[in-house]
Amino acid sequence: MSITYSDFRSDTVTRPTEKMRRAMAEAVVGDDVLGDDPTVQELERLAAGIMGKEAALFCPSGTMANSIAVKMWTSALEEVIVEERSHIYNMESTHMTFISGVTPRPVRSVRGAMDPKDVAAAVRRPNVHTPRTSLVCLENTHNNWGGAVVPLENFRGIRRVAEANGLKVHLDGARIFNASVASGVPVRDFADQVDSLQFCLSKGLSAPVGSMLAGPRERIEFGRRLRKAFGGGMRQAGVLAAPGLIALTEMVDRLKDDHARARRLAAAISGLPGVRLDPAEVETDIVIFGFEHPRLGVDDMLARMKEKGILALAVPGGIRLVTHKDVGDEDIDRAIRAFREILA
Ligand code: TLP
């Protein structure tokens, strides 16, 4: 008998809804590289409007949207200030150096929020030996800090430092809607503090593919050329934009259910042997815990969980579970039971 898994590896595993699949089948399409796919254009207008930016660009992935953003704001021999655990620095196959020829300058943080003073101190003084600092990258929510929400006030502080030093600010807002739903701060308020941002349709919002890069029209049009150069120009992309429209208009409010389930899971497992987790730190859909057990290593624990139908991922120092549309209350119950049985 084949086992059905409760898949907590990521919110990227979400399947499109029935309504999204119908919208894909019925989408009006054209050749988007030639500029005539009306569904892509509608999605780009909607995304720009939601974020209060002049324009937006539909990209195949969050990684490509971040790569385009770095390339469009920097030149070779420059440097980019990044948070030390950020996705753009640690998990995007070094595109900053590989594609843009710039160096990342990691800065420590408290749960994803870099102290503006530390950002100011990381800005290089012009000098023939050193790169010129030109960009700061933020991330919200912060994946490797367990889905932490970086407060708006922190954005404001970093914005002031950026303006004082002539730097641009890009936000990796892969999960910005999670940050907004959890904090009650409109996405646009975060977007107002940055020059550009990317956000993913394909994570908790459940579209099959795609991320939006939003910013000033002139830069986004340059980004469109970069996307082509990266091989990301897509032809009848309206079939992918159609579920993106549903993601943005119908799938945001339900993120609060993912957050509630993540909190319930965290509260239930936090006291178990080996699990190092403060449930008060679980703010959104990501539960990351340190795992130090006398008998089981992280890989043993993941294998035992898999035997019980629970899929999770190893992350530096521990294990990550992510809640999303396709794991319901019964999957949370099943995960809690599995943890209790394995760690009893
Ligand atoms: N994150 C994925 C993996 O890469 C780890 C995940 O499962 O969480 N920014 C952030 C903050 C992300 O979490 C991710 C994906 C990306 C960018 C990249 O998006 P994609 O996967 O669309 O290239």
Side-chain angles (χ1 to χ4, degrees):
M1 207 183 71
S2 71
I3 181 167
T4 56
Y5 291 104
S6 299
D7 194 346
F8 291 93
R9 288 172 303 167
S10 181
D11 47 7
T12 59
V13 306
T14 42
R15 307 265 158 74
T17 61
E18 278 312 309
K19 189 166 176 187
M20 286 179 174
R21 286 183 185 274
R22 274 201 307 279
M24 293 173 82
E26 291 162 10
V28 182
V29 297
D31 187 327
D32 185 53
V33 176
L34 298 181
D36 46 43
D37 189 305
T39 310
V40 172
Q41 287 167 6
E42 187 184 345
L43 178 64
E44 292 183 341
R45 273 196 305 273
L46 177 69
I50 290 172
M51 296 301 170
K53 297 293 182 201
E54 285 175 5
L57 178 70
F58 185 38
C59 297
S61 68
T63 303
M64 192 189 283
N66 281 335
S67 318
I68 292 171
V70 172
K71 187 77 181 160
M72 78 188 192
W73 289 125
T74 63
S75 305
L77 313 185
E78 292 183 345
E79 189 161 76
V80 178
I81 295 175
V82 294
E83 191 279 333
E84 71 174 352
R85 290 195 195 179
S86 61
H87 196 278
I88 203 165
Y89 174 48
N90 294 284
M91 298 164 90
E92 296 184 11
S93 301
T94 71
H95 63 70
M96 285 196 189
T97 44
F98 178 60
I99 297 176
S100 294
V102 295
T103 44
R105 179 89 187 265
V107 168
R108 263 190 278 170
S109 80
V110 178
R111 294 180 54 72
M114 296 179 282
D115 188 326
K117 288 198 205 78
D118 293 340
V119 174
V123 178
R124 307 266 196 182
R125 299 301 146 209
N127 181 322
V128 71
H129 305 288
T130 54
R132 193 174 77 84
T133 309
S134 54
L135 179 67
V136 184
C137 291
L138 308 179
E139 182 175 323
N140 207 10
T141 62
H142 200 297
N143 184 345
N144 287 331
W145 281 98
V149 178
V150 178
L152 181 61
E153 206 35 53
N154 184 252
F155 274 56
R156 292 201 179 108
I158 291 176
R159 178 82 205 163
R160 279 194 288 273
V161 170
E163 276 173 3
N165 290 279
L167 314 179
K168 298 295 180 189
V169 183
H170 170 68
L171 167 64
D172 177 354
R175 297 184 179 84
I176 192 63
F177 288 97
N178 293 82
S180 170
V181 165
S183 62
V185 175
V187 281
R188 205 180 156 140
D189 290 7
F190 290 113
D192 279 349
Q193 300 302 319
V194 301
D195 296 285
S196 64
L197 78 159
Q198 80 85 13
F199 57 96
C200 295
L201 306 170
S202 60
K203 299 196 165 61
L205 301 184
S206 306
V209 173
S211 293
M212 307 305 297
L213 175 63
R217 182 172 311 282
E218 177 274 327
R219 279 296 86 185
I220 294 298
E221 287 319 311
F222 180 51
R224 194 177 295 281
R225 294 185 58 196
L226 291 170
R227 185 187 67 177
K228 184 72 173 83
F230 294 177
M234 299 179 287
R235 300 293 178 175
Q236 283 71 42
V239 291
L240 299 175
L245 286 166
I246 295 173
L248 288 180
T249 51
E250 296 182 25
M251 302 299 284
V252 172
D253 288 347
R254 61 154 307 289
L255 293 174
K256 65 181 181 314
D257 302 335
D258 299 342
H259 302 174
R261 291 194 176 107
R263 281 197 300 273
R264 182 158 82 84
L265 176 65
I269 66 173
S270 63
L272 294 173
V275 175
R276 303 266 170 278
L277 171 64
D278 177 356
E281 292 191 343
V282 174
E283 296 177 71
T284 58
D285 60 339
I286 300 180
V287 180
I288 290 181
F289 57 91
F291 188 67
E292 293 162 37
H293 191 273
R295 281 181 295 106
L296 298 170
V298 164
D299 288 342
D300 308 313
M301 181 63 189
L302 289 174
R304 297 286 301 277
M305 286 164 66
K306 189 169 178 184
E307 282 165 19
K308 295 186 181 292
I310 307 299
L311 300 181
L313 278 187
V315 291
I319 293 175
R320 183 183 85 160
L321 289 94
V322 186
T323 55
H324 52 80
K325 168 179 77 58
D326 297 335
V327 286
D329 286 328
E330 56 300 339
D331 298 287
I332 301 290
D333 293 337
R334 189 185 188 196
I336 294 170
R337 259 198 321 276
F339 270 92
R340 288 191 178 138
E341 285 166 16
I342 299 165
L343 299 174

